[in-house]
Amino acid sequence: MRHVAYSRAIAATLICFAALTACSGESERPTLAEASRQLVSDGDAVVAGIEAGLTELTRERADRDRDSTCLNDEEQRFYIAKGNFANPSAESATNLVGLLKGQLIGKGYSTQVVDNLDLWEDDVSVAVVVNPETRVTFVLLARMNSTPNVMIVGKTECYPVNA
């Protein structure tokens, strides 16, 4: 008797585990329009926090496709903001990139690092963050010696045209 009850308990546990595992799979990919809205919203929020300290700020917001690495029948959207430090002698490239990265991590992004030594050299700082749900990627760059000093580049994944 105990063996039958034990077997049923194990079977019930396995069924529950299988159901939970099936439900916790990778989320469905958002549409290009949804990903583009998130891209612009997050990009604008990050830039809003630093725009008072920048001059010559320009923004290009995800409204058209650019030359990209997508296939011919695919498209993606970009968010590009560039500017120069208003007071370069009071700025730190590493601190600014850390601040921007922290803002995006607070919005659900995670850090993607190729090689930390390549990303923090001299007066240049770079971070790459990806939102695992919307699959939007941001590259954050700050540098002291070249202009523009600050570049924020966001992009969606490649989507089939007219999808």
Side-chain angles (χ1 to χ4, degrees):
M1 282 304 233
R2 285 188 188 184
H3 182 63
V4 172
Y6 181 71
S7 295
R8 285 185 182 165
I10 290 177
T13 302
L14 290 174
I15 288 171
C16 289
F17 181 73
L20 288 173
T21 303
C23 293
S24 66
E26 189 173 320
S27 62
E28 194 172 308
R29 180 166 113 157
T31 65
L32 178 59
E34 292 167 339
S36 295
R37 278 192 296 276
Q38 189 70 49
L39 173 70
V40 171
S41 174
D42 291 347
D44 282 347
V46 167
V47 171
I50 63 166
E51 69 183 317
L54 297 177
T55 62
E56 302 175 41
L57 178 64
T58 61
R59 282 186 243 199
E60 183 179 323
R61 292 184 180 100
D63 57 349
R64 64 184 175 90
D65 197 18
R66 299 176 52 93
D67 291 335
S68 68
T69 58
C70 297
L71 300 174
N72 288 339
D73 59 343
E74 294 179 326
E75 60 186 336
Q76 72 184 140
R77 298 291 182 259
F78 289 86
Y79 180 98
I80 301 171
K82 299 176 187 178
N84 295 312
F85 289 126
N87 185 6
S89 62
E91 298 294 342
S92 163
T94 303
N95 289 347
L96 180 67
V97 167
L99 172 73
L100 300 177
K101 179 177 149 185
Q103 288 178 345
L104 288 169
I105 288 173
K107 292 180 171 291
Y109 286 76
S110 60
T111 304
Q112 300 290 313
V113 177
V114 177
D115 180 351
N116 229 4
L117 296 176
D118 291 340
L119 304 178
W120 311 98
E121 188 174 310
D122 298 327
D123 291 331
V124 177
S125 185
V126 178
V128 179
V129 292
V130 177
N131 186 311
E133 291 179 17
T134 61
R135 301 177 189 160
V136 167
T137 302
F138 275 95
V139 177
L140 311 166
L141 169 87
R143 55 190 176 188
M144 301 308 296
N145 297 327
S146 300
T147 57
N149 300 127
V150 178
M151 294 178 58
I152 299 167
V153 179
K155 67 177 188 165
T156 65
E157 287 189 321
C158 295
Y159 284 81
V161 174
N162 300 324

